[in-house]
Amino acid sequence: MSISTSTFADIFEVVQTVIETHPDVLALDPIADLKAKSTVRIPYTRKPKLNASSAFMTFSKSRKNWIGLLLGELQHFVTGAQADITIMHSSASAKSSTKRAAQTWYEFVRELYDDKIAHRGDISEAQARQLVKLIDLLSASGFKLKGCGSLEFVDENGQVLA
C-alpha cells in the first residue's frame, strides 16, 4: 500500500489552515507551529514542591504531547544541518539532573525526554527556561528553526515564565 504525495500535501494544507485561523490551537507538528507563529504559548499550572528550587509544571494532555513531540524532534537535530549539529553539541547552560555536571544541549534534550515524557515525570520551571533558551538559540543560529517564533510558558495567573 502506498500513499500518494497529494495526500501529504492535503494534510499539510489543513495543518497550515488550523495554525493560521486558530493561533491558540497547536498542531501535532511543533516545528510547523514554531515556524508559523511569532510566539507559541504553553499554559501550565504551578505545582510547588517543598524541597525543590523551582516549582513543577502541570500541563494538559495535549500540551504535554506537543512538548513530547518537540523534544522528540530536537533529538534528531544532531544529524542534518551543520548549524543545528554545532548547537546541539555545544555546552548547555542547564545542569544534568543525573550526573550533576555540565552537559550538551543534546544530552539535555535526551534526558528531559527520557525523564519527563517517557517516564511521565513533571517538568520543572528551571527545565522549561532552558528549553526556551535552546529554542531561542536554534532560532538565532540554527538551520531548521532559523527565524522561528519563540516559546513561552504561561502559568494560571497569566505570568510568563522568565
Side-chain angles (χ1 to χ4, degrees), residues 70-76 88 103-115 131 134:
L70 175 63
L71 292 171
E73 288 283 331
L74 289 173
Q75 289 184 64
H76 297 291
M88 295 305 285
Q103 61 184 347
T104 64
W105 284 112
Y106 173 69
E107 291 170 329
F108 166 74
V109 169
R110 193 182 69 222
E111 182 181 294
L112 192 59
Y113 182 85
D114 289 344
D115 186 36
L131 184 57
L134 175 58

PDB file of all heavy atoms in Angstrom, residues 70-76 88 103-115 131 134:
ATOM      1  N   LEU A  70       7.970  17.848  20.419  1.00  0.00           N
ATOM      2  CA  LEU A  70       9.060  18.808  20.219  1.00  0.00           C
ATOM      3  C   LEU A  70      10.391  18.216  20.668  1.00  0.00           C
ATOM      4  O   LEU A  70      11.389  18.275  19.944  1.00  0.00           O
ATOM      5  CB  LEU A  70       8.775  20.107  20.984  1.00  0.00           C
ATOM      6  CG  LEU A  70       9.896  21.151  20.960  1.00  0.00           C
ATOM      7  CD1 LEU A  70      10.151  21.635  19.535  1.00  0.00           C
ATOM      8  CD2 LEU A  70       9.560  22.314  21.886  1.00  0.00           C
ATOM      9  N   LEU A  71      10.410  17.632  21.847  1.00  0.00           N
ATOM     10  CA  LEU A  71      11.648  17.024  22.353  1.00  0.00           C
ATOM     11  C   LEU A  71      12.098  15.873  21.457  1.00  0.00           C
ATOM     12  O   LEU A  71      13.296  15.695  21.210  1.00  0.00           O
ATOM     13  CB  LEU A  71      11.464  16.553  23.795  1.00  0.00           C
ATOM     14  CG  LEU A  71      11.275  17.660  24.833  1.00  0.00           C
ATOM     15  CD1 LEU A  71      10.885  17.064  26.175  1.00  0.00           C
ATOM     16  CD2 LEU A  71      12.507  18.522  24.957  1.00  0.00           C
ATOM     17  N   GLY A  72      11.139  15.095  20.960  1.00  0.00           N
ATOM     18  CA  GLY A  72      11.467  14.019  20.037  1.00  0.00           C
ATOM     19  C   GLY A  72      12.116  14.546  18.765  1.00  0.00           C
ATOM     20  O   GLY A  72      13.098  13.984  18.264  1.00  0.00           O
ATOM     21  N   GLU A  73      11.577  15.639  18.234  1.00  0.00           N
ATOM     22  CA  GLU A  73      12.165  16.264  17.036  1.00  0.00           C
ATOM     23  C   GLU A  73      13.554  16.818  17.329  1.00  0.00           C
ATOM     24  O   GLU A  73      14.471  16.668  16.523  1.00  0.00           O
ATOM     25  CB  GLU A  73      11.262  17.395  16.533  1.00  0.00           C
ATOM     26  CG  GLU A  73       9.997  16.941  15.882  1.00  0.00           C
ATOM     27  CD  GLU A  73      10.211  16.421  14.476  1.00  0.00           C
ATOM     28  OE1 GLU A  73      11.147  16.859  13.787  1.00  0.00           O
ATOM     29  OE2 GLU A  73       9.430  15.540  14.070  1.00  0.00           O
ATOM     30  N   LEU A  74      13.708  17.462  18.487  1.00  0.00           N
ATOM     31  CA  LEU A  74      15.003  18.068  18.823  1.00  0.00           C
ATOM     32  C   LEU A  74      16.098  17.020  18.974  1.00  0.00           C
ATOM     33  O   LEU A  74      17.272  17.312  18.720  1.00  0.00           O
ATOM     34  CB  LEU A  74      14.882  18.900  20.108  1.00  0.00           C
ATOM     35  CG  LEU A  74      14.085  20.195  19.986  1.00  0.00           C
ATOM     36  CD1 LEU A  74      13.908  20.837  21.360  1.00  0.00           C
ATOM     37  CD2 LEU A  74      14.724  21.162  19.012  1.00  0.00           C
ATOM     38  N   GLN A  75      15.740  15.803  19.358  1.00  0.00           N
ATOM     39  CA  GLN A  75      16.735  14.741  19.469  1.00  0.00           C
ATOM     40  C   GLN A  75      17.359  14.420  18.108  1.00  0.00           C
ATOM     41  O   GLN A  75      18.488  13.953  18.039  1.00  0.00           O
ATOM     42  CB  GLN A  75      16.115  13.471  20.053  1.00  0.00           C
ATOM     43  CG  GLN A  75      15.785  13.587  21.520  1.00  0.00           C
ATOM     44  CD  GLN A  75      15.275  12.281  22.085  1.00  0.00           C
ATOM     45  OE1 GLN A  75      16.002  11.307  22.121  1.00  0.00           O
ATOM     46  NE2 GLN A  75      14.017  12.275  22.511  1.00  0.00           N
ATOM     47  N   HIS A  76      16.635  14.698  17.032  1.00  0.00           N
ATOM     48  CA  HIS A  76      17.137  14.414  15.689  1.00  0.00           C
ATOM     49  C   HIS A  76      17.950  15.566  15.105  1.00  0.00           C
ATOM     50  O   HIS A  76      18.437  15.465  13.985  1.00  0.00           O
ATOM     51  CB  HIS A  76      15.976  14.066  14.752  1.00  0.00           C
ATOM     52  CG  HIS A  76      15.260  12.819  15.165  1.00  0.00           C
ATOM     53  ND1 HIS A  76      15.825  11.567  15.087  1.00  0.00           N
ATOM     54  CD2 HIS A  76      14.028  12.641  15.703  1.00  0.00           C
ATOM     55  CE1 HIS A  76      14.975  10.674  15.540  1.00  0.00           C
ATOM     56  NE2 HIS A  76      13.879  11.289  15.930  1.00  0.00           N
ATOM     57  N   MET A  88      23.594  21.691  19.062  1.00  0.00           N
ATOM     58  CA  MET A  88      23.204  20.560  19.907  1.00  0.00           C
ATOM     59  C   MET A  88      24.390  19.926  20.626  1.00  0.00           C
ATOM     60  O   MET A  88      24.230  19.347  21.690  1.00  0.00           O
ATOM     61  CB  MET A  88      22.456  19.503  19.090  1.00  0.00           C
ATOM     62  CG  MET A  88      21.114  19.983  18.548  1.00  0.00           C
ATOM     63  SD  MET A  88      19.982  20.619  19.801  1.00  0.00           S
ATOM     64  CE  MET A  88      19.449  19.101  20.551  1.00  0.00           C
ATOM     65  N   GLN A 103      26.501  19.659  30.590  1.00  0.00           N
ATOM     66  CA  GLN A 103      26.099  18.722  29.558  1.00  0.00           C
ATOM     67  C   GLN A 103      25.902  19.479  28.243  1.00  0.00           C
ATOM     68  O   GLN A 103      25.858  20.704  28.238  1.00  0.00           O
ATOM     69  CB  GLN A 103      24.820  18.003  29.959  1.00  0.00           C
ATOM     70  CG  GLN A 103      23.632  18.935  30.169  1.00  0.00           C
ATOM     71  CD  GLN A 103      22.401  18.200  30.660  1.00  0.00           C
ATOM     72  OE1 GLN A 103      22.336  16.993  30.629  1.00  0.00           O
ATOM     73  NE2 GLN A 103      21.409  18.942  31.111  1.00  0.00           N
ATOM     74  N   THR A 104      25.759  18.753  27.157  1.00  0.00           N
ATOM     75  CA  THR A 104      25.471  19.385  25.873  1.00  0.00           C
ATOM     76  C   THR A 104      23.961  19.579  25.763  1.00  0.00           C
ATOM     77  O   THR A 104      23.180  18.989  26.526  1.00  0.00           O
ATOM     78  CB  THR A 104      25.960  18.511  24.703  1.00  0.00           C
ATOM     79  OG1 THR A 104      25.218  17.290  24.710  1.00  0.00           O
ATOM     80  CG2 THR A 104      27.453  18.238  24.797  1.00  0.00           C
ATOM     81  N   TRP A 105      23.552  20.381  24.787  1.00  0.00           N
ATOM     82  CA  TRP A 105      22.116  20.582  24.572  1.00  0.00           C
ATOM     83  C   TRP A 105      21.451  19.273  24.169  1.00  0.00           C
ATOM     84  O   TRP A 105      20.322  19.010  24.557  1.00  0.00           O
ATOM     85  CB  TRP A 105      21.863  21.659  23.518  1.00  0.00           C
ATOM     86  CG  TRP A 105      22.082  23.039  24.042  1.00  0.00           C
ATOM     87  CD1 TRP A 105      23.067  23.907  23.688  1.00  0.00           C
ATOM     88  CD2 TRP A 105      21.287  23.718  25.027  1.00  0.00           C
ATOM     89  NE1 TRP A 105      22.936  25.087  24.389  1.00  0.00           N
ATOM     90  CE2 TRP A 105      21.845  24.998  25.215  1.00  0.00           C
ATOM     91  CE3 TRP A 105      20.164  23.370  25.772  1.00  0.00           C
ATOM     92  CZ2 TRP A 105      21.311  25.918  26.118  1.00  0.00           C
ATOM     93  CZ3 TRP A 105      19.626  24.287  26.668  1.00  0.00           C
ATOM     94  CH2 TRP A 105      20.205  25.546  26.830  1.00  0.00           C
ATOM     95  N   TYR A 106      22.150  18.438  23.405  1.00  0.00           N
ATOM     96  CA  TYR A 106      21.595  17.146  23.014  1.00  0.00           C
ATOM     97  C   TYR A 106      21.350  16.278  24.247  1.00  0.00           C
ATOM     98  O   TYR A 106      20.295  15.660  24.382  1.00  0.00           O
ATOM     99  CB  TYR A 106      22.525  16.422  22.033  1.00  0.00           C
ATOM    100  CG  TYR A 106      22.068  15.024  21.741  1.00  0.00           C
ATOM    101  CD1 TYR A 106      20.912  14.786  21.003  1.00  0.00           C
ATOM    102  CD2 TYR A 106      22.765  13.932  22.223  1.00  0.00           C
ATOM    103  CE1 TYR A 106      20.464  13.493  20.758  1.00  0.00           C
ATOM    104  CE2 TYR A 106      22.331  12.633  21.976  1.00  0.00           C
ATOM    105  CZ  TYR A 106      21.178  12.427  21.243  1.00  0.00           C
ATOM    106  OH  TYR A 106      20.736  11.146  21.010  1.00  0.00           O
ATOM    107  N   GLU A 107      22.303  16.245  25.168  1.00  0.00           N
ATOM    108  CA  GLU A 107      22.134  15.466  26.400  1.00  0.00           C
ATOM    109  C   GLU A 107      20.974  16.013  27.229  1.00  0.00           C
ATOM    110  O   GLU A 107      20.210  15.255  27.823  1.00  0.00           O
ATOM    111  CB  GLU A 107      23.422  15.478  27.225  1.00  0.00           C
ATOM    112  CG  GLU A 107      24.552  14.705  26.611  1.00  0.00           C
ATOM    113  CD  GLU A 107      25.884  14.931  27.319  1.00  0.00           C
ATOM    114  OE1 GLU A 107      26.118  16.041  27.862  1.00  0.00           O
ATOM    115  OE2 GLU A 107      26.691  13.989  27.321  1.00  0.00           O
ATOM    116  N   PHE A 108      20.840  17.344  27.260  1.00  0.00           N
ATOM    117  CA  PHE A 108      19.730  17.976  27.975  1.00  0.00           C
ATOM    118  C   PHE A 108      18.389  17.515  27.393  1.00  0.00           C
ATOM    119  O   PHE A 108      17.484  17.095  28.127  1.00  0.00           O
ATOM    120  CB  PHE A 108      19.846  19.506  27.904  1.00  0.00           C
ATOM    121  CG  PHE A 108      18.599  20.233  28.321  1.00  0.00           C
ATOM    122  CD1 PHE A 108      18.229  20.309  29.652  1.00  0.00           C
ATOM    123  CD2 PHE A 108      17.792  20.852  27.372  1.00  0.00           C
ATOM    124  CE1 PHE A 108      17.063  20.974  30.042  1.00  0.00           C
ATOM    125  CE2 PHE A 108      16.638  21.522  27.746  1.00  0.00           C
ATOM    126  CZ  PHE A 108      16.278  21.585  29.078  1.00  0.00           C
ATOM    127  N   VAL A 109      18.271  17.576  26.062  1.00  0.00           N
ATOM    128  CA  VAL A 109      17.023  17.193  25.400  1.00  0.00           C
ATOM    129  C   VAL A 109      16.731  15.707  25.623  1.00  0.00           C
ATOM    130  O   VAL A 109      15.607  15.326  25.942  1.00  0.00           O
ATOM    131  CB  VAL A 109      17.075  17.536  23.894  1.00  0.00           C
ATOM    132  CG1 VAL A 109      15.916  16.906  23.140  1.00  0.00           C
ATOM    133  CG2 VAL A 109      17.080  19.045  23.694  1.00  0.00           C
ATOM    134  N   ARG A 110      17.740  14.873  25.457  1.00  0.00           N
ATOM    135  CA  ARG A 110      17.560  13.429  25.627  1.00  0.00           C
ATOM    136  C   ARG A 110      17.139  13.094  27.061  1.00  0.00           C
ATOM    137  O   ARG A 110      16.217  12.323  27.299  1.00  0.00           O
ATOM    138  CB  ARG A 110      18.849  12.694  25.253  1.00  0.00           C
ATOM    139  CG  ARG A 110      18.636  11.192  25.106  1.00  0.00           C
ATOM    140  CD  ARG A 110      19.903  10.459  24.783  1.00  0.00           C
ATOM    141  NE  ARG A 110      20.752  10.528  25.966  1.00  0.00           N
ATOM    142  CZ  ARG A 110      22.058  10.755  25.933  1.00  0.00           C
ATOM    143  NH1 ARG A 110      22.680  10.946  24.806  1.00  0.00           N
ATOM    144  NH2 ARG A 110      22.754  10.811  27.046  1.00  0.00           N
ATOM    145  N   GLU A 111      17.810  13.710  28.042  1.00  0.00           N
ATOM    146  CA  GLU A 111      17.477  13.471  29.453  1.00  0.00           C
ATOM    147  C   GLU A 111      16.072  13.964  29.779  1.00  0.00           C
ATOM    148  O   GLU A 111      15.307  13.284  30.464  1.00  0.00           O
ATOM    149  CB  GLU A 111      18.504  14.173  30.340  1.00  0.00           C
ATOM    150  CG  GLU A 111      18.286  13.967  31.818  1.00  0.00           C
ATOM    151  CD  GLU A 111      19.317  14.701  32.660  1.00  0.00           C
ATOM    152  OE1 GLU A 111      20.502  14.352  32.598  1.00  0.00           O
ATOM    153  OE2 GLU A 111      18.920  15.640  33.369  1.00  0.00           O
ATOM    154  N   LEU A 112      15.720  15.146  29.270  1.00  0.00           N
ATOM    155  CA  LEU A 112      14.396  15.702  29.518  1.00  0.00           C
ATOM    156  C   LEU A 112      13.315  14.808  28.897  1.00  0.00           C
ATOM    157  O   LEU A 112      12.301  14.518  29.536  1.00  0.00           O
ATOM    158  CB  LEU A 112      14.308  17.126  28.948  1.00  0.00           C
ATOM    159  CG  LEU A 112      13.124  17.974  29.351  1.00  0.00           C
ATOM    160  CD1 LEU A 112      13.067  18.161  30.862  1.00  0.00           C
ATOM    161  CD2 LEU A 112      13.179  19.319  28.663  1.00  0.00           C
ATOM    162  N   TYR A 113      13.550  14.333  27.688  1.00  0.00           N
ATOM    163  CA  TYR A 113      12.587  13.450  27.037  1.00  0.00           C
ATOM    164  C   TYR A 113      12.434  12.145  27.821  1.00  0.00           C
ATOM    165  O   TYR A 113      11.316  11.714  28.102  1.00  0.00           O
ATOM    166  CB  TYR A 113      13.014  13.150  25.596  1.00  0.00           C
ATOM    167  CG  TYR A 113      12.025  12.274  24.876  1.00  0.00           C
ATOM    168  CD1 TYR A 113      10.916  12.828  24.242  1.00  0.00           C
ATOM    169  CD2 TYR A 113      12.167  10.890  24.848  1.00  0.00           C
ATOM    170  CE1 TYR A 113       9.984  12.035  23.601  1.00  0.00           C
ATOM    171  CE2 TYR A 113      11.240  10.086  24.209  1.00  0.00           C
ATOM    172  CZ  TYR A 113      10.151  10.660  23.592  1.00  0.00           C
ATOM    173  OH  TYR A 113       9.225   9.862  22.970  1.00  0.00           O
ATOM    174  N   ASP A 114      13.560  11.524  28.164  1.00  0.00           N
ATOM    175  CA  ASP A 114      13.501  10.243  28.879  1.00  0.00           C
ATOM    176  C   ASP A 114      12.813  10.373  30.227  1.00  0.00           C
ATOM    177  O   ASP A 114      11.946   9.579  30.580  1.00  0.00           O
ATOM    178  CB  ASP A 114      14.907   9.667  29.085  1.00  0.00           C
ATOM    179  CG  ASP A 114      15.524   9.163  27.794  1.00  0.00           C
ATOM    180  OD1 ASP A 114      14.786   8.972  26.811  1.00  0.00           O
ATOM    181  OD2 ASP A 114      16.753   8.979  27.774  1.00  0.00           O
ATOM    182  N   ASP A 115      13.184  11.391  30.997  1.00  0.00           N
ATOM    183  CA  ASP A 115      12.673  11.543  32.349  1.00  0.00           C
ATOM    184  C   ASP A 115      11.235  12.057  32.371  1.00  0.00           C
ATOM    185  O   ASP A 115      10.396  11.558  33.119  1.00  0.00           O
ATOM    186  CB  ASP A 115      13.587  12.476  33.146  1.00  0.00           C
ATOM    187  CG  ASP A 115      13.206  12.565  34.602  1.00  0.00           C
ATOM    188  OD1 ASP A 115      12.772  11.539  35.173  1.00  0.00           O
ATOM    189  OD2 ASP A 115      13.340  13.655  35.181  1.00  0.00           O
ATOM    190  N   LEU A 131      14.681  25.013  28.031  1.00  0.00           N
ATOM    191  CA  LEU A 131      14.104  24.647  26.739  1.00  0.00           C
ATOM    192  C   LEU A 131      13.827  25.906  25.911  1.00  0.00           C
ATOM    193  O   LEU A 131      14.094  25.934  24.706  1.00  0.00           O
ATOM    194  CB  LEU A 131      12.824  23.831  26.944  1.00  0.00           C
ATOM    195  CG  LEU A 131      12.153  23.289  25.688  1.00  0.00           C
ATOM    196  CD1 LEU A 131      13.114  22.418  24.868  1.00  0.00           C
ATOM    197  CD2 LEU A 131      10.901  22.508  26.063  1.00  0.00           C
ATOM    198  N   LEU A 134      17.096  27.080  24.495  1.00  0.00           N
ATOM    199  CA  LEU A 134      17.518  26.262  23.362  1.00  0.00           C
ATOM    200  C   LEU A 134      16.764  26.660  22.095  1.00  0.00           C
ATOM    201  O   LEU A 134      17.367  26.801  21.032  1.00  0.00           O
ATOM    202  CB  LEU A 134      17.323  24.773  23.660  1.00  0.00           C
ATOM    203  CG  LEU A 134      17.620  23.816  22.501  1.00  0.00           C
ATOM    204  CD1 LEU A 134      19.061  23.977  22.012  1.00  0.00           C
ATOM    205  CD2 LEU A 134      17.345  22.383  22.915  1.00  0.00           C
TER     206      LEU A 134
END
